[in-house]
Structures are given as structure tokens and as C-alpha cells.
Amino acid sequence: MAIDLEPILDLRLSAGIKGLPASADGLRLGEVGAQGWNLLDGSIPLPAAIVRSSVLAANLHAFQAYIDQAGAKLAPHGKTSMCPQLFDRQLAAGAWGMTVATFSQAMTALTYGVKRLLIANELVGEAEIRALAARQDAAPDSLIISLVDSLAGVDRLEAILASAGATRPFEVLVELGIPGGRTGARTRDIALAVARRVASSPVLALRGVEGYEGLIVTGDAVEDAKKVNAFLDDLLGVFNICRGEGLFTGEPILSAGGSAYFDLVARGLKTDGLTPLLRSGCYLTHDTGFYNRLLAHVGERGVLGPAPALKPALEVWAQIVSHPEPDLIIVNAGRRDLSDDAGLPKVEYHATPGPRASAQPVEGWAFFRMNDQHGYIRLPTGASACIGDYVGLGISHPCTTFDRWPVLLEVDDAYAVTGALKTFF
């Protein structure tokens, strides 16, 4: 399942793209790695977002190996990066297909060659449904699956598909939800009623059952795991009833699993003759905050052995623009550049730019506040920093950092630029 990367690598860069030097103007994206740039030598304007190539590759293979050994399949959530270049690597490493959340994300994935696509959301817009039905009819080798969670949603989807004259049944999964959560049927009985309704439709095909357990995060890891396991039991129960009634078309799919409880999902959804499909996405670059803490719980549970050895691959580098107080520095990166929905960034490195610059790990540098374009860092006693120096920031929640960057630089372990990654948000 190859991604068509040539149109992306042929894209021409223009002046003013954040994190790229002025000399990038007119370059093809695929030419970036041959320019001899280095993040730390002063030639690249900051802030800049980078992905460390060696760490990314290690994460990619460690997580896929974990899923394979667990006897599951993986459809990574593409919303994390929205970067077809990374989709290509995930698929090459053994992913079953890709997951997305929205119509625009789906069209991006399909445009660049994804053949198996799970849209982990309910489709209700007429324009979106018609476009996807036409896309599916035009590509017999493609598989597009979306979600339904109500009889009203099934009625709407069915009516639009019928009026569009779709020639292939549109495949769906029934979504089971969590009380107080977001989408998903709130009870087993509702989910089963939706499943039976889909199975009777002339334009829909019931392919399986789906849920998302990642909303169960309270800070109490033991209680959270109990609630996740109970939800997975409910999900498996709905699936088994549907299978017993012969409601499914084709090889059935049972799917759950974000980046928090993938171990519990891989274990909890195993059933006779079925391989569970997980949809984790943040594993690819991991982080220094939210998902790093959740990964530690995977290791503590040990339900499938040791946790995969994931490390942070995504960093945002910024420059010190002010040192207004002895223990305070201000850097030129803020909410326009960094996620803060799952915790503030963590200062990982300090560097003085120049031809021989290197990233020096730091401890105790506290990133405590940010505005649109500025971040505030409190220095520990004895720390030395100068205006013009660089700081390397680890982030918490990759999804909401990737979407702030149209282009990220891929670097080697010495921060030499080896390529550029284009996102499509």
C-alpha cells in the first residue's frame, strides 16, 4: 500500500514559511535535505519544529512490533501528524491501514494513496457523504469505513447515499460510547438496534463494532484501567451478539485503542477468529508529558509484557529574546507554535548557536506560561543563559503541536537537516 509522495516532494516552498530560512524560497520540498542546513548553527530562523529521524524510526518499529506480538492490527490515527510522508512509513512498517477523524483528513489520505481508511467519526454532511461515496465507487480497490451511533444517523446516511446513486454499499461500524463522553450509543440495546437497522439497509453494510476508551483518564491509573476493561467487555459483548445474529458483512472488525490503553485493548478485545484493530497515533513521535506518563502506566500494568520503548521525537526549538529578570528568560515560541491542552512544554536542551554547537540537556528550567508568540522560562539557581541562545522544548500531546506547523524539519542526531515533512491541516 504505497503512498504517492512525488507530488509532495515536488511542492515548491515559499518565503515566510515558519521555521525555514529565506534561502528555502523556490526549493522543492524534496531538496531540503541536500542544503547542508543544521538547526544549531544559526542559519535557520526560530522557532522551528523538528523531528529526530532516528527516534522516529525506533518508535515506529517498536510500537508495530508490540502490536504484532499482541496479535492485533494497527490503523494509526493520521490526525496526529496529517503528514502523508509519515503515513507511508507507518504503512510500510506493517500498518493495516490509516485512521482519520474528518472529511478533509480523509480526502488527504485518499488523495495520496491510502487504500484502507477508517473514518473514526459519524458522517452527517451531505456534501461529504456524496463525495466519499463517489470516491469509493471510482476506486474499487479502496475501503472506506465510517461510524454510526443512532437510528437517526443511519436514516440520514442511507437517504443521502440512495439519492447519490452509490453503487457500492457504504461500510460502517456501530460505535459504542461512554456516558458523559462524546459520540457513541450510550447503551448496549441502542447499539444493537443501530446494528440491526444497518444490516437491513440496501445501501449500508455493517462491518463491525467500534469504541474509544481514551476519554477515561482521571489520574487514578488503577481505577481508570478497571473502567476501561469494563467498557471493553461491553464492546466485546455487542460485537458477539451482532456476530451471533449474522449481522456483519465481510471479515468483521472490532476496533478501539488510542495511545493510552493500547495494551488493555489488545488483550481485552481478543475473541475467537478475530484480530482487534487499534487506532493509536501519538506513538510515532511520543512526547515528554501526557503520553509519556500514560506509557509508564502501560509498563506498570505489564499485561502484555514490557511497554514499547518509545521516546520523544518531536521538539520545538526557540530562541531567547529577552532576559528581563535574573531568573527569567523569554523565548520566541508560544501558543502559535506549541500545544498546551495536555500540559505545558518541557525545557530539554540549551545551546549556544554556532558551527560547533551541540544540544546540552538541562534540568530545572521551568516553562511556566506562554502568550501567542512568547514563552516564559524560570531558570534554576546557577543556570546561565544569554539572549540569542537556543532552547529545545519537549511537548505534551503531539497532535496539537503538529497542526501548528505547515513544514517540520527532519534531523539526524547532530541536528543536521535531512529532509522536510509537509503537513495537511
Side-chain angles (χ1 to χ4, degrees):
M1 191 186 300
I3 298 292
D4 185 7
L5 296 182
E6 280 307 310
I8 298 173
L9 298 176
D10 279 340
L11 289 173
R12 293 285 176 180
L13 301 172
S14 59
I17 296 177
K18 184 169 62 169
L20 298 183
S23 59
D25 189 24
L27 285 179
R28 293 172 54 251
L29 188 82
E31 295 172 335
V32 166
Q35 303 308 304
W37 299 340
N38 187 291
L39 180 74
L40 303 181
D41 67 6
S43 61
I44 294 175
L46 301 187
I50 64 96
V51 174
R52 297 176 63 180
S53 181
S54 64
V55 181
L56 182 89
N59 288 348
L60 177 68
H61 294 292
F63 195 82
Q64 186 67 55
Y66 183 92
I67 296 299
D68 291 344
Q69 290 165 13
K73 293 179 182 178
L74 180 63
H77 213 314
K79 75 177 177 66
T80 297
S81 71
M82 280 312 297
C83 178
Q85 294 158 276
L86 297 181
F87 297 175
D88 185 61
R89 299 183 203 182
Q90 291 172 301
L91 292 167
W96 172 88
M98 295 298 300
T99 300
V100 295
T102 67
F103 169 74
S104 62
Q105 293 171 8
M107 293 305 290
T108 296
L110 294 167
T111 295
Y112 290 105
V114 172
K115 299 298 185 185
R116 290 185 188 143
L117 188 66
L118 172 55
I119 304 171
N121 216 335
E122 285 70 18
L123 294 172
V124 298
E126 182 168 357
E128 295 96 312
I129 294 166
R130 285 178 173 273
L132 288 168
R135 188 73 181 233
Q136 178 176 261
D137 286 347
D141 59 340
S142 67
L143 174 61
I144 303 171
I145 303 172
S146 67
L147 309 184
V148 291
D149 69 354
S150 68
L151 295 176
V154 173
D155 289 345
R156 181 174 177 82
L157 184 59
E158 185 179 62
I160 294 170
L161 288 169
S163 68
T167 60
R168 284 176 61 188
F170 202 82
E171 300 190 15
V172 297
L173 309 179
V174 170
E175 181 175 28
L176 183 67
I178 297 168
R182 53 189 192 201
T183 54
R186 291 303 193 252
T187 68
R188 178 181 294 201
D189 287 344
I190 293 173
L192 290 170
V194 174
R196 293 168 184 139
R197 173 69 178 83
V198 171
S200 70
S201 171
V203 295
L204 297 174
L206 182 64
R207 191 63 188 269
V209 178
E210 180 271 355
Y212 177 59
E213 76 299 332
L215 298 175
I216 306 173
V217 180
T218 67
D220 186 332
V222 174
E223 284 303 311
D224 288 348
K226 291 178 181 178
K227 292 177 182 177
V228 168
N229 285 329
F231 174 69
L232 296 174
D233 286 345
D234 286 343
L235 195 65
L236 188 57
V238 171
F239 177 88
N240 283 332
I241 292 172
C242 290
R243 183 162 63 172
E245 294 184 11
L247 302 182
F248 296 134
T249 297
E251 181 182 354
I253 293 171
L254 180 56
S255 178
S259 299
Y261 304 110
F262 51 84
D263 57 327
L264 299 179
V265 173
R267 181 189 66 175
L269 294 188
K270 282 188 176 178
T271 187
D272 292 341
L274 180 78
T275 302
L277 181 65
L278 279 73
R279 308 188 306 274
S280 313
C282 292
Y283 73 91
L284 189 59
T285 61
H286 197 49
D287 70 11
T288 61
F290 182 68
Y291 287 105
N292 196 44
R293 292 190 295 274
L294 292 172
L295 184 67
H297 297 323
V298 175
E300 291 162 3
R301 289 191 293 265
V303 299
L304 294 174
L310 306 179
K311 295 181 179 179
L314 173 62
E315 300 167 3
V316 174
W317 281 75
Q319 193 161 25
I320 300 172
V321 296
S322 183
H323 198 336
E325 300 169 20
D327 65 345
L328 177 67
I329 57 175
I330 308 297
V331 297
N332 63 345
R335 289 192 182 91
R336 298 291 182 93
D337 317 295
L338 299 155
S339 56
D340 66 348
D341 59 305
L344 288 168
K346 180 182 178 184
V347 184
E348 297 278 5
Y349 302 105
H350 170 235
T352 299
R356 295 184 177 83
S358 61
Q360 300 300 314
V362 296
E363 295 287 344
W365 294 39
F367 193 112
F368 66 94
R369 187 169 69 190
M370 59 180 163
N371 308 134
D372 281 1
Q373 312 284 181
H374 295 93
Y376 299 66
I377 297 171
R378 190 73 67 189
L379 297 175
T381 301
S384 176
C386 299
I387 290 176
D389 283 358
Y390 292 180
V391 293
L393 304 170
I395 56 89
S396 184
H397 196 188
C399 303
T400 48
T401 292
F402 266 106
D403 67 1
R404 287 159 165 80
W405 295 89
V407 176
L408 296 89
L409 296 174
E410 193 163 7
V411 303
D412 66 15
D413 291 341
Y415 290 91
V417 176
T418 60
L421 300 170
K422 179 75 180 79
T423 64
F424 292 82
F425 287 100

